[in-house]
Amino acid sequence: MFQASLRARSDHTNAVVTATGSMPEVAALEKIGTRMTLERGKALFHEGDPADHVYKVVNGAIRTSRLMSDGRRYVLDFLFPGDFVGINEDSVRTMTAEAICETVLMRYPRRLFEAVVEEDRGLGRLVYAALCDGLASAQDRMLLLGRKTAIERIASFLLMMADRRPDGRVELPMTRADIADYLGLTVETVSRILSQLKAEGVIAMREPTRIVLVRRAKLESLADGA
Amino acid sequence: MFQASLRARSDHTNAVVTATGSMPEVAALEKIGTRMTLERGKALFHEGDPADHVYKVVNGAIRTSRLMSDGRRYVLDFLFPGDFVGINEDSVRTMTAEAICETVLMRYPRRLFEAVVEEDRGLGRLVYAALCDGLASAQDRMLLLGRKTAIERIASFLLMMADRRPDGRVELPMTRADIADYLGLTVETVSRILSQLKAEGVIAMREPTRIVLVRRAKLESLADGA
DNA sequence: CGCATAGTTGAACTCTCTCAACAGCCGTGG
DNA sequence: CCACGGCTGTTGAGAGAGTTCAACTATGCG
């Protein structure tokens, strides 16, 4: 009955959404959940597996992806603390979920999770909002993939990642290959364009995983095509 | 609270979903709906408009799209009879919806629509399933846009369109430009590849809008990369 | 009949990919 | 402690898929 990994954030419904961790409705959830840890690179589940659990990222980061028969990969999403994984999957997984770094998750049996959601209006709305949010960001990405140039994609990506962390600093726990597969580019192009942005002084990058948005306005205009 | 146009089909929940038109829960909806007609090319709403109605396509076809500041367009979806339009929009439209041919719609005030959905479990599930379905197809399209070649995209598109009509015949009410903007290609490429498929005997095409899938199996292997 | 719009086809160009080499980092083990 | 191999990231050069520009055809509508 479900299909994607979800993210509950502030845009829809209201502020309640972001505060998941401390909301009363979560109590009902926590009762049925168990904590688990996943090492970097380990899979939470694979395409084709039975979808009998729902997860929430507590710490770390998850990457969801799909594989084509010839090995081409597409990264559907990166999930960070607070995001749900595996909600909205049908009975069978349509994607693979792997930890891109040491990751802590809460794991809920799907039946129970759905029962709780069914009972609890507030949680139901939360899940619904997460679903809407997922759809909205999927649409943003379709525009990105369908019509944006490589520079525009990278700029958009950096801004998206920056939105999750308030200051200008961006942590990129994923590899260049992950970024490439997320943006529909190749590793080389990602690397080249990051270097170019660095050379132009738009971003700073001492280590490959740590980026600082130096000229955010410039990035924003680049993201939109300028 | 909403963001996209939705489509309720059979995959999720159950067969009930496809039979929308004849379901009991729809009675409640029809009470609050009014019928309307839209000429070819006319807009149902524009990006930025207040989102105070939800629509259902009765007849014809709707195209939803987004525009970038420099005029690049991306077509989010084509909506056909039975599909909902404008569900899951926030208070402001994030996309433009236009009729690609003479189109009949049912129009429901959003407040009332949401109230009915809130009341009616069955309808709620229907909307929820539609949302899941929209997300699933958005994910398919991200893979398509991110990793498929032009031929693979066209083949996938033709198969998608064919799935809506049982026989091998495909009606394409949209222009080549619409298809191009939907698949992240240019008009010329779409045209060229359709010609190529025709020359190879994979499809037949007497008029640009009518296509017959002659060798469906071939198309299917093309769609996946073979 | 003539103009506007949609579709097709050709040729040149370009952005991104592919292939290849190299650099940097890290953990393992001698 | 350093050498080594493996993995990730960077950079260069050449190739190619799809775009851009342009001309032409077909279709429909006044």
Side-chain angles (χ1 to χ4, degrees):
Chain A
M1 173 149 191
F2 290 132
Q3 247 274 22
S5 37
L6 297 175
R7 181 174 309 135
R9 267 196 287 279
S10 54
D11 321 41
H12 299 102
T13 48
N14 46 49
V16 166
V17 178
T18 43
T20 312
S22 58
M23 288 310 296
E25 62 252 31
V26 175
L29 257 193
E30 295 323 293
K31 261 180 248 166
I32 62 164
T34 53
R35 199 181 179 85
M36 60 179 284
T37 300
L38 213 59
E39 286 172 50
R40 175 195 150 106
K42 297 292 178 203
L44 192 54
F45 51 77
H46 290 98
E47 250 175 293
D49 284 356
D52 34 38
H53 290 278
V54 170
Y55 305 85
K56 195 175 76 178
V57 180
V58 175
N59 226 308
I62 294 287
R63 169 191 69 223
T64 54
S65 59
R66 264 188 208 183
L67 229 45
M68 285 178 67
S69 49
D70 62 356
R72 273 175 284 176
R73 189 182 70 154
Y74 180 69
V75 169
L76 290 160
D77 213 352
F78 298 110
L79 289 306
F80 296 100
D83 296 342
F84 285 102
V85 191
I87 274 192
N88 150 266
E89 285 275 19
D90 226 316
S91 50
V92 166
R93 301 291 182 193
T94 60
M95 63 186 80
T96 296
E98 290 151 309
I100 57 184
C101 54
E102 179 100 358
T103 298
V104 180
L105 302 117
M106 285 302 293
R107 160 183 159 142
Y108 317 99
R110 201 159 76 93
R111 299 279 173 137
L112 295 177
F113 181 86
E114 286 178 2
V116 170
V117 169
E118 193 82 5
E119 295 262 315
D120 189 319
R121 269 276 159 94
L123 188 56
R125 281 172 206 275
L126 184 80
V127 168
Y128 188 80
L131 207 50
C132 289
D133 213 75
L135 196 51
S137 68
Q139 289 175 352
D140 289 344
R141 199 119 58 81
M142 288 193 282
L143 174 64
L144 179 147
L145 295 167
R147 286 289 173 242
K148 289 194 179 180
T149 65
I151 304 172
E152 289 163 4
R153 294 183 201 199
I154 298 281
S156 305
F157 176 73
L158 291 175
L159 289 168
M160 276 179 44
M161 287 296 138
D163 282 346
R164 311 209 172 172
R165 317 194 133 238
D167 53 354
R169 276 161 225 295
V170 183
E171 284 287 331
L172 301 179
M174 68 292 286
T175 66
R176 296 290 189 259
D178 290 338
I179 299 174
D181 287 343
Y182 183 74
L183 298 178
L185 300 170
T186 57
V187 200
E188 295 92 330
T189 302
V190 171
S191 186
R192 261 187 264 275
I193 288 178
L194 285 174
S195 299
Q196 181 191 327
L197 289 174
K198 181 182 170 184
E200 290 168 354
V202 179
I203 61 172
M205 172 172 60
R206 313 212 120 209
E207 306 153 68
T209 61
R210 282 173 206 281
I211 289 179
V212 181
L213 310 191
V214 180
R215 297 171 55 197
R216 188 181 233 278
K218 177 65 179 169
L219 259 190
E220 276 162 3
S221 73
L222 280 176
D224 243 336
Chain B
M1 174 151 187
F2 291 131
Q3 245 272 17
S5 37
L6 298 176
R7 179 175 309 134
R9 267 197 287 280
S10 53
D11 321 42
H12 299 102
T13 49
N14 45 48
V16 167
V17 178
T18 43
T20 312
S22 57
M23 287 310 296
E25 62 252 32
V26 175
L29 257 193
E30 295 323 294
K31 261 180 251 168
I32 61 164
T34 54
R35 199 180 180 84
M36 61 178 284
T37 301
L38 214 58
E39 286 173 50
R40 174 195 150 107
K42 296 292 178 203
L44 191 55
F45 52 78
H46 290 99
E47 251 175 290
D49 284 356
D52 33 38
H53 291 278
V54 171
Y55 306 85
K56 194 175 76 179
V57 180
V58 174
N59 226 307
I62 295 287
R63 170 190 69 224
T64 53
S65 59
R66 262 187 210 185
L67 230 44
M68 286 179 65
S69 49
D70 61 357
R72 272 175 285 176
R73 188 182 69 154
Y74 180 69
V75 168
L76 291 160
D77 213 351
F78 298 111
L79 289 305
F80 296 100
D83 295 343
F84 285 101
V85 191
I87 273 191
N88 150 267
E89 284 276 19
D90 227 316
S91 51
V92 166
R93 300 292 181 191
T94 58
M95 63 187 81
T96 296
E98 290 151 310
I100 58 183
C101 56
E102 179 101 358
T103 298
V104 181
L105 303 117
M106 286 301 294
R107 160 181 157 143
Y108 316 99
R110 202 159 76 95
R111 299 282 174 134
L112 294 178
F113 181 86
E114 285 178 2
V116 171
V117 169
E118 194 83 4
E119 295 261 314
D120 190 320
R121 270 276 159 94
L123 188 57
R125 281 172 207 275
L126 185 81
V127 168
Y128 188 79
L131 207 51
C132 289
D133 214 76
L135 195 51
S137 69
Q139 289 174 352
D140 289 344
R141 199 118 57 76
M142 288 193 282
L143 174 64
L144 179 147
L145 294 167
R147 285 291 173 240
K148 289 194 180 180
T149 64
I151 303 172
E152 291 163 3
R153 294 183 201 198
I154 298 283
S156 305
F157 177 73
L158 291 175
L159 289 167
M160 274 179 46
M161 287 296 136
D163 282 346
R164 312 210 171 172
R165 317 196 132 236
D167 54 353
R169 274 160 226 299
V170 183
E171 284 287 332
L172 300 179
M174 68 293 285
T175 66
R176 295 291 189 260
D178 290 339
I179 299 174
D181 287 344
Y182 182 73
L183 298 178
L185 300 169
T186 58
V187 200
E188 295 92 329
T189 302
V190 171
S191 187
R192 260 186 264 275
I193 287 177
L194 285 174
S195 299
Q196 181 191 327
L197 290 174
K198 182 182 170 184
E200 291 169 351
V202 179
I203 62 172
M205 173 172 58
R206 313 211 120 211
E207 307 152 67
T209 61
R210 282 172 206 281
I211 289 179
V212 181
L213 309 191
V214 181
R215 297 170 56 197
R216 189 181 232 278
K218 176 68 179 168
L219 260 190
E220 277 162 3
S221 72
L222 280 176
D224 243 335

